[in-house]
Short mmCIF file of all heavy atoms in Angstrom, two decimals:
data_model
loop_
_atom_site.label_atom_id
_atom_site.label_comp_id
_atom_site.label_asym_id
_atom_site.label_seq_id
_atom_site.Cartn_x
_atom_site.Cartn_y
_atom_site.Cartn_z
N VAL P 1 65.48 -33.33 15.31
CA VAL P 1 66.26 -33.29 16.56
C VAL P 1 67.54 -32.57 16.36
O VAL P 1 68.36 -33.02 15.49
CB VAL P 1 66.47 -34.64 17.17
CG1 VAL P 1 67.30 -34.55 18.45
CG2 VAL P 1 65.13 -35.38 17.41
N ARG P 2 67.83 -31.50 17.11
CA ARG P 2 69.14 -30.86 17.03
C ARG P 2 69.99 -31.49 18.17
O ARG P 2 69.46 -31.63 19.32
CB ARG P 2 69.03 -29.33 17.21
CG ARG P 2 68.47 -28.66 15.96
CD ARG P 2 68.75 -27.15 16.00
NE ARG P 2 68.27 -26.53 14.78
CZ ARG P 2 68.92 -26.44 13.62
NH1 ARG P 2 70.16 -26.93 13.57
NH2 ARG P 2 68.42 -25.86 12.61
N TYR P 3 71.20 -31.80 17.90
CA TYR P 3 72.04 -32.40 18.92
C TYR P 3 73.46 -31.83 18.92
O TYR P 3 73.88 -31.21 17.98
CB TYR P 3 72.08 -33.91 18.68
CG TYR P 3 72.80 -34.40 17.47
CD1 TYR P 3 74.19 -34.61 17.43
CD2 TYR P 3 72.07 -34.62 16.26
CE1 TYR P 3 74.81 -35.04 16.27
CE2 TYR P 3 72.70 -34.99 15.13
CZ TYR P 3 74.07 -35.18 15.09
OH TYR P 3 74.68 -35.61 13.95
N GLU P 4 74.10 -31.99 20.07
CA GLU P 4 75.49 -31.54 20.20
C GLU P 4 76.28 -32.71 20.79
O GLU P 4 75.83 -33.30 21.74
CB GLU P 4 75.55 -30.32 21.15
CG GLU P 4 76.97 -29.85 21.43
CD GLU P 4 77.08 -28.76 22.39
OE1 GLU P 4 76.03 -28.29 22.93
OE2 GLU P 4 78.23 -28.30 22.67
N ASN P 5 77.41 -32.97 20.18
CA ASN P 5 78.31 -34.03 20.70
C ASN P 5 79.13 -33.57 21.84
O ASN P 5 79.37 -32.37 22.05
CB ASN P 5 79.20 -34.53 19.58
CG ASN P 5 78.57 -35.54 18.67
OD1 ASN P 5 77.43 -36.02 18.91
ND2 ASN P 5 79.26 -36.00 17.62
N THR P 6 79.57 -34.50 22.63
CA THR P 6 80.47 -34.19 23.79
C THR P 6 81.74 -33.51 23.26
O THR P 6 82.23 -33.76 22.16
CB THR P 6 80.88 -35.49 24.55
OG1 THR P 6 81.73 -35.15 25.62
CG2 THR P 6 81.62 -36.53 23.66
N ARG P 7 82.32 -32.63 24.11
CA ARG P 7 83.62 -32.04 23.85
C ARG P 7 84.70 -32.74 24.64
O ARG P 7 85.83 -32.30 24.65
CB ARG P 7 83.57 -30.55 24.23
CG ARG P 7 82.62 -29.75 23.31
CD ARG P 7 82.42 -28.30 23.85
NE ARG P 7 83.55 -27.47 23.64
CZ ARG P 7 83.67 -26.48 22.80
NH1 ARG P 7 82.71 -26.28 21.92
NH2 ARG P 7 84.78 -25.77 22.71
N SER P 8 84.37 -33.87 25.33
CA SER P 8 85.36 -34.60 26.07
C SER P 8 85.92 -35.74 25.18
O SER P 8 85.18 -36.63 24.79
CB SER P 8 84.68 -35.22 27.30
OG SER P 8 85.51 -36.22 27.86
N LEU P 9 87.21 -35.69 24.95
CA LEU P 9 87.88 -36.79 24.09
C LEU P 9 87.74 -38.09 24.84
O LEU P 9 87.51 -39.14 24.18
CB LEU P 9 89.31 -36.39 23.85
CG LEU P 9 90.11 -37.38 23.03
CD1 LEU P 9 89.52 -37.46 21.66
CD2 LEU P 9 91.58 -36.98 22.95
N THR P 10 87.90 -38.11 26.15
CA THR P 10 87.78 -39.35 26.93
C THR P 10 86.43 -40.04 26.69
O THR P 10 86.40 -41.21 26.47
CB THR P 10 88.00 -39.05 28.43
OG1 THR P 10 89.24 -38.42 28.60
CG2 THR P 10 87.92 -40.34 29.20
N LYS P 11 85.39 -39.26 26.81
CA LYS P 11 84.05 -39.85 26.57
C LYS P 11 83.83 -40.22 25.11
O LYS P 11 83.27 -41.30 24.88
CB LYS P 11 82.94 -38.79 27.01
CG LYS P 11 82.84 -38.52 28.48
CD LYS P 11 81.72 -37.52 28.78
CE LYS P 11 81.58 -37.33 30.33
NZ LYS P 11 80.49 -36.40 30.61
N TYR P 12 84.33 -39.41 24.24
CA TYR P 12 84.12 -39.73 22.81
C TYR P 12 84.75 -41.06 22.41
O TYR P 12 84.13 -41.88 21.72
CB TYR P 12 84.62 -38.57 21.92
CG TYR P 12 84.29 -38.69 20.49
CD1 TYR P 12 83.05 -38.29 20.01
CD2 TYR P 12 85.14 -39.27 19.60
CE1 TYR P 12 82.69 -38.44 18.73
CE2 TYR P 12 84.81 -39.41 18.26
CZ TYR P 12 83.53 -39.03 17.78
OH TYR P 12 83.18 -39.15 16.49
N VAL P 13 85.99 -41.26 22.79
CA VAL P 13 86.63 -42.53 22.41
C VAL P 13 86.03 -43.75 23.10
O VAL P 13 86.21 -44.88 22.63
CB VAL P 13 88.18 -42.47 22.67
CG1 VAL P 13 88.80 -41.29 21.90
CG2 VAL P 13 88.51 -42.29 24.14
N LYS P 14 85.28 -43.52 24.18
CA LYS P 14 84.53 -44.59 24.82
C LYS P 14 83.18 -44.87 24.16
O LYS P 14 82.50 -45.76 24.56
CB LYS P 14 84.35 -44.31 26.27
CG LYS P 14 85.60 -44.31 27.15
CD LYS P 14 85.23 -43.95 28.60
CE LYS P 14 86.46 -44.07 29.48
NZ LYS P 14 86.12 -43.73 30.93
N GLY P 15 82.85 -44.05 23.18
CA GLY P 15 81.58 -44.25 22.48
C GLY P 15 80.44 -43.43 23.07
O GLY P 15 79.32 -43.59 22.68
N GLU P 16 80.74 -42.57 24.04
CA GLU P 16 79.77 -41.69 24.64
C GLU P 16 79.71 -40.38 23.80
O GLU P 16 80.21 -39.32 24.24
CB GLU P 16 80.08 -41.42 26.12
CG GLU P 16 80.14 -42.64 26.95
CD GLU P 16 80.67 -42.37 28.35
OE1 GLU P 16 80.54 -41.25 28.82
OE2 GLU P 16 81.17 -43.34 28.97
N PHE P 17 79.09 -40.41 22.68
CA PHE P 17 79.20 -39.35 21.67
C PHE P 17 78.32 -38.13 22.05
O PHE P 17 78.71 -36.97 21.88
CB PHE P 17 78.76 -39.86 20.27
CG PHE P 17 79.57 -41.06 19.85
CD1 PHE P 17 78.87 -42.24 19.50
CD2 PHE P 17 80.92 -41.01 19.81
CE1 PHE P 17 79.60 -43.32 19.05
CE2 PHE P 17 81.62 -42.17 19.38
CZ PHE P 17 80.96 -43.33 19.03
N LEU P 18 77.17 -38.37 22.54
CA LEU P 18 76.12 -37.35 22.67
C LEU P 18 76.28 -36.53 23.95
O LEU P 18 76.48 -37.08 25.05
CB LEU P 18 74.72 -37.91 22.63
CG LEU P 18 73.52 -36.98 22.49
CD1 LEU P 18 73.61 -36.28 21.14
CD2 LEU P 18 72.19 -37.72 22.64
N LYS P 19 76.23 -35.19 23.83
CA LYS P 19 76.19 -34.32 24.98
C LYS P 19 74.75 -33.91 25.29
O LYS P 19 74.28 -33.97 26.47
CB LYS P 19 77.04 -33.05 24.77
CG LYS P 19 77.00 -32.09 25.90
CD LYS P 19 77.83 -30.84 25.62
CE LYS P 19 77.67 -29.82 26.76
NZ LYS P 19 78.43 -28.58 26.44
N SER P 20 74.02 -33.44 24.27
CA SER P 20 72.64 -33.03 24.52
C SER P 20 71.87 -33.12 23.16
O SER P 20 72.46 -33.14 22.10
CB SER P 20 72.57 -31.60 25.04
OG SER P 20 73.13 -30.68 24.04
N GLU P 21 70.58 -33.18 23.32
CA GLU P 21 69.70 -33.14 22.17
C GLU P 21 68.39 -32.48 22.49
O GLU P 21 67.95 -32.45 23.65
CB GLU P 21 69.49 -34.52 21.59
CG GLU P 21 68.82 -35.51 22.55
CD GLU P 21 68.63 -36.87 21.91
OE1 GLU P 21 68.97 -37.06 20.77
OE2 GLU P 21 68.09 -37.76 22.64
N GLU P 22 67.79 -31.85 21.49
CA GLU P 22 66.58 -31.15 21.67
C GLU P 22 65.59 -31.49 20.54
O GLU P 22 65.87 -31.35 19.37
CB GLU P 22 66.82 -29.61 21.66
CG GLU P 22 65.56 -28.78 21.76
CD GLU P 22 65.83 -27.30 21.66
OE1 GLU P 22 66.95 -26.93 21.27
OE2 GLU P 22 64.88 -26.54 21.80
N ILE P 23 64.42 -32.04 20.90
CA ILE P 23 63.39 -32.30 19.95
C ILE P 23 62.65 -31.03 19.64
O ILE P 23 62.10 -30.32 20.55
CB ILE P 23 62.35 -33.38 20.49
CG1 ILE P 23 63.14 -34.66 20.77
CG2 ILE P 23 61.25 -33.59 19.44
CD1 ILE P 23 62.29 -35.66 21.52
N LEU P 24 62.66 -30.56 18.38
CA LEU P 24 62.09 -29.29 18.01
C LEU P 24 60.61 -29.39 17.76
O LEU P 24 60.14 -30.29 17.02
CB LEU P 24 62.82 -28.75 16.79
CG LEU P 24 64.32 -28.49 16.89
CD1 LEU P 24 64.86 -27.82 15.65
CD2 LEU P 24 64.70 -27.69 18.15
N SER P 25 59.85 -28.41 18.25
CA SER P 25 58.48 -28.32 17.90
C SER P 25 58.33 -27.62 16.59
O SER P 25 59.35 -27.05 16.08
CB SER P 25 57.72 -27.51 18.99
OG SER P 25 58.22 -26.16 18.98
N LYS P 26 57.19 -27.59 16.01
CA LYS P 26 56.93 -26.86 14.78
C LYS P 26 57.29 -25.37 14.97
O LYS P 26 57.86 -24.75 14.05
CB LYS P 26 55.50 -27.06 14.34
CG LYS P 26 55.13 -26.31 13.04
CD LYS P 26 53.74 -26.56 12.65
CE LYS P 26 53.32 -25.85 11.39
NZ LYS P 26 51.89 -26.14 11.03
N GLU P 27 56.93 -24.81 16.11
CA GLU P 27 57.21 -23.39 16.41
C GLU P 27 58.73 -23.21 16.41
O GLU P 27 59.20 -22.17 15.87
CB GLU P 27 56.58 -23.00 17.73
CG GLU P 27 56.77 -21.55 18.07
CD GLU P 27 56.13 -21.20 19.41
OE1 GLU P 27 56.47 -21.86 20.42
OE2 GLU P 27 55.26 -20.29 19.46
N ASP P 28 59.45 -24.10 17.08
CA ASP P 28 60.95 -24.00 17.14
C ASP P 28 61.51 -23.98 15.74
O ASP P 28 62.42 -23.18 15.41
CB ASP P 28 61.54 -25.19 17.90
CG ASP P 28 61.19 -25.27 19.35
OD1 ASP P 28 60.98 -24.17 19.94
OD2 ASP P 28 61.14 -26.34 19.90
N LYS P 29 61.02 -24.81 14.86
CA LYS P 29 61.58 -24.89 13.49
C LYS P 29 61.32 -23.62 12.75
O LYS P 29 62.15 -23.17 11.97
CB LYS P 29 60.91 -26.14 12.80
CG LYS P 29 61.31 -27.46 13.36
CD LYS P 29 60.61 -28.59 12.66
CE LYS P 29 60.87 -29.95 13.28
NZ LYS P 29 60.14 -31.04 12.62
N MET P 30 60.12 -23.05 12.97
CA MET P 30 59.79 -21.79 12.26
C MET P 30 60.67 -20.62 12.82
O MET P 30 61.11 -19.76 12.01
CB MET P 30 58.30 -21.49 12.41
CG MET P 30 57.45 -22.44 11.59
SD MET P 30 55.69 -21.97 11.57
CE MET P 30 55.21 -22.28 13.27
N TYR P 31 60.95 -20.63 14.04
CA TYR P 31 61.83 -19.59 14.63
C TYR P 31 63.23 -19.74 14.03
O TYR P 31 63.88 -18.77 13.61
CB TYR P 31 61.90 -19.72 16.16
CG TYR P 31 60.84 -19.05 16.93
CD1 TYR P 31 60.15 -19.75 17.93
CD2 TYR P 31 60.35 -17.79 16.63
CE1 TYR P 31 59.12 -19.17 18.63
CE2 TYR P 31 59.34 -17.18 17.34
CZ TYR P 31 58.69 -17.87 18.31
OH TYR P 31 57.68 -17.29 19.05
N ASN P 32 63.69 -20.98 13.94
CA ASN P 32 65.02 -21.26 13.36
C ASN P 32 65.07 -20.84 11.90
O ASN P 32 66.08 -20.30 11.35
CB ASN P 32 65.38 -22.71 13.48
CG ASN P 32 65.74 -23.07 14.87
OD1 ASN P 32 66.09 -22.22 15.68
ND2 ASN P 32 65.68 -24.35 15.16
#
């Protein structure tokens, strides 16, 4: 899973760390 954390300091200090995530397929991993 590739993920990106929030860029909002307000959310981060509240413990809302995650902005988005993507479950990679085998094909995705090979492209990467």
Side-chain angles (χ1 to χ4, degrees):
V1 178
R2 287 197 179 274
Y3 66 89
E4 177 184 1
N5 277 355
T6 180
R7 293 169 72 107
S8 165
L9 181 62
T10 302
K11 290 183 178 180
Y12 189 82
V13 298
K14 289 180 178 178
E16 300 172 23
F17 307 123
L18 191 65
K19 176 184 177 183
S20 64
E21 61 182 357
E22 178 186 7
I23 301 173
L24 300 186
S25 66
K26 181 178 178 180
E27 184 180 56
D28 293 331
K29 294 176 184 178
M30 289 189 290
Y31 279 133
N32 287 339

